[in-house]
Amino acid sequence: EKGGYDHFMLKEIFEQAKVVKDTLMPRLPEDQNRIVLDDIKLSKKELENINKIYIVACGTAYYAGIVGKYLLERIARVPVVAEVASEFRYRDPVIDENTLMIVLSQSGETADTLAALRLAKQGGARVIAIVNVVGSSIAREADDILYTWAGPEIAVASTKAYSAQLAAMYLLTCHIALELGRMNEEEFKELRDELYQLPRKVNRVLNKAERIKRLADKYVNSKNVFYVGRGLDYMVSMEGSLKLKEVAYVHSEPYAAGELKHGPIALIEDTTLVVGIVTQAELYDKTVSNLKEVKARNGKVLAIAVKGNTEIEKVVDDVIYIPQTHWMFSSILANIPQQLFAYYVSTALGHDVDKPRNLAKSVTVE
Ligand code: F6R
């Protein structure tokens, strides 16, 4: 049932081209200049009345949510607050009829996320759920649904569901921007063409698994790992750090690259690994100067960069390249090396990668 793979986690990582395709393609028919979202009834008029969006989820689903926050604010120009459900539900947030809440959940059963959804509905908000399990509690209680077609996820650590959640966020961002007139047809078609290419590009990153395994072996004894980036890269770094913690039990932290010098740089020494994500062209120089500061303090740097950028090789110890794509969509591609890295560090250390200690697949108690 593991389809020839050693573990479910690896199998699920390798399913991601299909998952991204299944989530995107039925919603992007070539003969229509719109996104087809069958289970979203929210009308253009209702959307125009929305003045604030909350994105609420837990864990990996939350990290997909914060990528969505960046995309929605930047492209659709609506203010977005993203928050973990366990905080949101207890802080008496401002909710009214002009509030849109987007919740994300693989299982559709996470207790805190479900409670946050109920709180939003009580306050009169409209709720869209991005959810993987059809008929789950969150799917049943939300007003609108965008299903992620990731299929059952068996490994405790979430991998393919995150990619599907990001794909869903790309769709929802384009949909809202189109409805609000903040994206024109020309712009949409360009993005759609790029989305059509994405599953193939996912496979190109997966083809680097052997190389990433060698890098995992090289850095397996790192004492502390920082994942750093700016903008969307910073959002993606959070998921990379979580994956390493939960399956490899290696202490790691995500950090906004510009914040390193405000404290954590004190921890950099020769046993520290910094994974630097540098896919966002307009922030590239800024992050690279932070990576140079790490090197100057004897830290090791592994970069995730965009193909064609050979300059970075002069600065860092190792580079994993991802294919070029639109800046919005590099989030899926940049995360795949992080998943593989965590997987290979975990298995090199002999851990039970599919069932990490202390973790449950679905957290139905708070
Ligand atoms: C991490 C992981 C968890 C879940 C979180 C939310 O790999 O799996 O952080 O993402 O418990 O679960 P769902 O998405 O089912 O609401």
Side-chain angles (χ1 to χ4, degrees):
E1 51 183 6
K2 290 179 198 148
Y5 292 96
D6 289 344
H7 301 97
F8 283 109
M9 183 174 172
L10 193 61
K11 171 174 178 269
E12 289 164 4
I13 288 171
F14 273 87
E15 280 170 1
Q16 290 177 110
K18 178 179 188 313
V19 161
V20 168
K21 190 169 167 215
D22 291 349
T23 300
L24 290 175
M25 295 316 149
R27 280 77 182 241
L28 293 169
E30 237 169 315
D31 55 352
Q32 291 180 50
N33 287 324
R34 62 181 195 110
I35 299 185
V36 178
L37 298 172
D38 288 333
D39 299 309
I40 294 190
K41 310 289 177 221
L42 187 69
S43 68
K44 185 182 167 82
K45 192 152 184 348
E46 286 167 325
L47 258 179
E48 281 165 356
N49 288 328
I50 298 295
N51 57 23
K52 171 181 63 195
I53 301 177
Y54 284 123
I55 298 182
V56 179
C58 301
T60 289
Y62 168 70
Y63 293 141
I66 52 180
V67 169
K69 170 197 157 88
Y70 269 58
L71 301 182
L72 277 166
E73 283 210 340
R74 182 121 176 232
I75 311 269
R77 309 305 297 163
V78 187
V80 183
V81 173
E83 204 165 352
V84 291
S86 56
E87 286 297 315
F88 181 87
R89 61 181 292 199
Y90 293 118
R91 73 172 177 85
D92 196 13
V94 181
I95 300 166
D96 60 27
E97 302 73 40
N98 301 321
T99 305
L100 174 65
M101 177 190 254
I102 302 171
V103 294
L104 299 99
S105 178
Q106 187 284 124
S107 63
E109 302 297 345
T110 300
D112 282 321
T113 309
L114 185 58
L117 174 159
R118 287 177 179 158
L119 183 69
K121 290 199 72 173
Q122 263 167 33
R126 181 86 175 215
V127 180
I128 299 180
I130 295 177
V131 60
N132 196 46
V133 177
V134 177
S136 57
S137 304
I138 288 172
R140 278 187 278 116
E141 295 193 29
D143 299 300
D144 306 274
I145 310 173
L146 205 174
Y147 282 112
T148 47
W149 298 125
E153 197 179 54
I154 310 290
V156 165
S158 185
T159 54
K160 62 177 181 172
Y162 174 82
S163 289
Q165 285 158 352
L166 291 187
M169 272 300 180
Y170 303 161
L171 292 170
L172 196 56
T173 299
C174 292
H175 173 71
I176 293 176
L178 282 167
E179 293 281 86
L180 295 177
R182 301 203 168 124
M183 179 184 289
N184 63 38
E185 247 175 50
E186 218 43 48
E187 291 166 324
F188 171 62
K189 277 195 208 155
E190 227 174 85
L191 291 173
R192 189 180 59 184
D193 285 344
E194 196 50 53
L195 286 173
Y196 288 156
Q197 309 289 320
L198 205 52
R200 208 170 38 85
K201 291 182 180 177
V202 166
N203 271 330
R204 278 167 56 194
V205 184
L206 291 170
N207 286 338
K208 295 176 190 279
E210 274 305 311
R211 164 103 208 293
I212 295 168
K213 182 179 191 304
R214 287 197 298 277
L215 291 169
D217 290 338
K218 175 173 173 182
Y219 292 114
V220 67
N221 292 319
S222 305
K223 290 228 176 65
N224 268 304
V225 182
F226 286 101
Y227 284 76
V228 307
R230 287 173 184 251
L232 272 186
D233 289 335
Y234 172 40
M235 303 300 112
V236 172
S237 77
M238 298 200 196
E239 173 58 11
S241 174
L242 179 67
K243 221 63 347 169
L244 190 72
K245 284 185 193 84
E246 62 182 346
V247 301
Y249 318 145
V250 173
H251 178 254
S252 86
E253 276 189 76
Y255 244 93
E259 274 289 303
L260 275 178
K261 59 162 73 73
H262 295 284
I265 200 162
L267 287 168
I268 305 288
E269 50 190 353
D270 60 1
T271 54
T272 312
L273 172 65
V274 175
V275 178
I277 309 172
V278 285
T279 72
Q280 303 292 304
E282 62 182 37
L283 298 165
Y284 177 78
D285 290 340
K286 303 277 177 200
T287 306
V288 166
S289 78
N290 300 129
L291 298 180
K292 284 181 181 158
E293 288 157 6
V294 171
K295 284 306 304 168
R297 284 154 188 85
N298 294 323
K300 304 287 186 297
V301 180
L302 166 60
I304 298 175
V306 178
K307 189 163 193 272
N309 168 12
T310 47
E311 277 294 294
I312 186 95
E313 291 170 22
K314 294 185 198 131
V315 180
V316 304
D317 296 281
D318 292 285
V319 190
I320 301 165
Y321 288 109
I322 62 165
Q324 290 176 0
T325 183
H326 187 274
W327 64 264
M328 279 172 77
F329 309 141
S330 60
S331 36
I332 286 183
L333 300 178
N335 182 54
I336 294 169
Q338 303 190 125
Q339 297 172 333
L340 287 164
F341 186 77
Y343 171 81
Y344 288 120
V345 172
S346 171
T347 49
L349 292 171
H351 300 317
D352 184 353
V353 72
D354 280 341
K355 286 200 181 62
R357 66 187 182 201
N358 310 339
L359 298 178
K361 182 65 186 161
S362 185
V363 185
T364 53
V365 292
E366 67 170 297

